[in-house]
Amino acid sequence: MSGLLENKTALVFGVANERSIAWGIAKAFSEHGANVGISYAGEALAKRAIPLGESIGSTFIESCDVSSDEEIAAVADKAKAHFGEIDYLVHAIAFAKRDELSGAYFSTSRDGFQMAMDISVYSLTALVQAYQPMIREGGSIMTMSYYGAEKVVPSYNVMGVAKAALEASVRYLARDMGKQGVRVNAISAGPIRTLAASGVSGFRDNYKRFVDVAPIAKNITTEDVAGAAVFLASDLSSSITGEVLYVDGGFNIIGIAEEN
Ligand code: NAD
């Protein structure tokens, strides 16, 4: 592999297991020469996340529940002590209650709405706030979005609204962070079989039907997303910020799908 990210340090949030997009990105960053720290959501996930981190020689593997300002601050302090400065921050985190991810969007509860927005949207802002003092000039921040931000995807419901807010956050954060020479972008990935995706009612059907619509008629993998993440981290994308980069085989450009 090329050393596109040689001598760079990355922190990747959202590793739940070997299927996680965060894990695909952490592995690819490491293959491209970066020193990668990883974070996972609470001790229940430690037994999966720690061996994964160790397998890429990670020396920083920390639990951080992003719904807690105290945990975010504590882990940022540890990262400061461990790395001093970092170059890349990857946010691959989302959560909505399972019963919000089926049926009518208007059934969304206040509590469910707030939880989805807090964990899937505000957490990006909270992480940027906490890590901004230690991100080097030329650095890159990225988050993960989905087409449901832009168009209606059945059952995606409150997560679609959350992803729209996440993409808007990316633009505001890109403006803020541009002042210190740091870029902020989103990757909008096509459907991938992960833990988070399995919570969306009808995901299997969407996953199967995806290849009938996308011009590149194959399902998206975490490696596909990780390749785009390496690009968005590297200097190859040094003038790209505030963007949503689709990694979806062109699914989003199709207006009306043809019959096969
Ligand atoms: P995943 O389940 O592997 O990752 C989601 C992560 O969010 C998990 O690591 C989970 O522990 C973490 N998380 C949830 N609540 C948290 C909290 N309170 N604190 C810290 N972490 C918390 O699934 P994934 O598909 O890899 O999801 C990663 C990102 O990619 C999400 O933003 C998701 O919406 C997005 N995405 C996924 C797909 C897909 O089809 N899988 C498509 C487009 C975008």
Side-chain angles (χ1 to χ4, degrees):
M1 279 282 178
S2 72
L4 269 179
L5 310 182
E6 210 70 61
N7 301 321
K8 303 289 188 184
T9 299
L11 252 182
V12 179
F13 286 81
V15 177
N17 56 42
E18 67 292 342
R19 289 173 169 241
S20 295
I21 292 173
W23 170 240
I25 294 174
K27 217 165 71 167
F29 276 18
S30 166
E31 284 164 5
H32 283 273
N35 177 17
V36 183
I38 66 171
S39 178
Y40 57 95
E43 290 313 321
L45 294 172
K47 66 175 190 304
R48 283 179 180 252
I50 292 173
L52 288 173
E54 286 173 349
S55 74
I56 55 167
S58 191
T59 53
F60 188 87
I61 308 171
E62 292 289 335
S63 169
C64 181
D65 177 349
V66 296
S67 65
S68 156
D69 287 335
E70 293 71 30
E71 286 197 27
I72 289 176
V75 176
D77 283 348
K78 281 190 192 172
K80 173 93 192 138
H82 190 81
F83 294 120
E85 292 182 310
I86 65 168
D87 300 283
Y88 310 130
L89 184 69
V90 176
H91 172 273
I93 289 175
F95 183 79
K97 292 196 239 174
R98 189 174 273 266
D99 53 0
E100 309 286 4
L101 298 172
S102 63
Y105 170 67
F106 63 59
S107 306
T108 307
S109 65
R110 187 181 299 273
D111 175 48
F113 186 91
Q114 285 172 347
M115 186 178 274
M117 293 299 262
D118 183 30
I119 298 176
S120 316
V121 186
Y122 180 69
S123 64
L124 172 66
T125 302
L127 290 180
V128 173
Q129 197 178 106
Y131 287 89
Q132 166 269 329
M134 63 181 104
I135 303 185
R136 276 191 203 99
E137 190 176 347
S140 176
I141 297 167
M142 66 197 80
T143 185
M144 302 300 132
S145 193
Y146 176 61
Y147 189 50
E150 218 185 298
K151 301 287 182 193
V152 174
V153 173
S155 301
Y156 202 58
N157 295 352
V158 71
M159 275 311 301
V161 175
K163 292 301 191 192
L166 182 71
E167 292 182 6
S169 303
V170 163
R171 293 185 280 273
Y172 280 89
L173 293 168
R175 188 220 173 234
D176 290 349
M177 295 304 291
K179 293 177 182 142
Q180 63 187 75
V182 173
R183 299 177 294 108
V184 187
N185 291 290
I187 291 174
S188 186
I192 302 174
R193 283 186 175 144
T194 62
L195 201 59
S198 68
V200 183
S201 169
F203 174 81
R204 270 166 179 264
D205 268 1
N206 280 350
Y207 181 87
K208 274 202 209 130
R209 279 158 45 196
F210 176 84
V211 293
D212 298 333
V213 178
I216 306 290
K218 68 174 191 59
N219 279 108
I220 302 301
T221 64
T222 52
E223 287 78 17
D224 296 330
V225 177
V230 169
F231 165 70
L232 282 180
S234 80
D235 290 344
L236 293 176
S237 60
S238 59
S239 292
I240 300 177
T241 194
E243 295 292 341
V244 178
L245 177 62
Y246 276 89
V247 179
D248 70 342
F251 184 93
N252 77 94
I253 65 161
I254 298 299
I256 296 178
E258 290 162 279
E259 297 259 335
N260 282 325

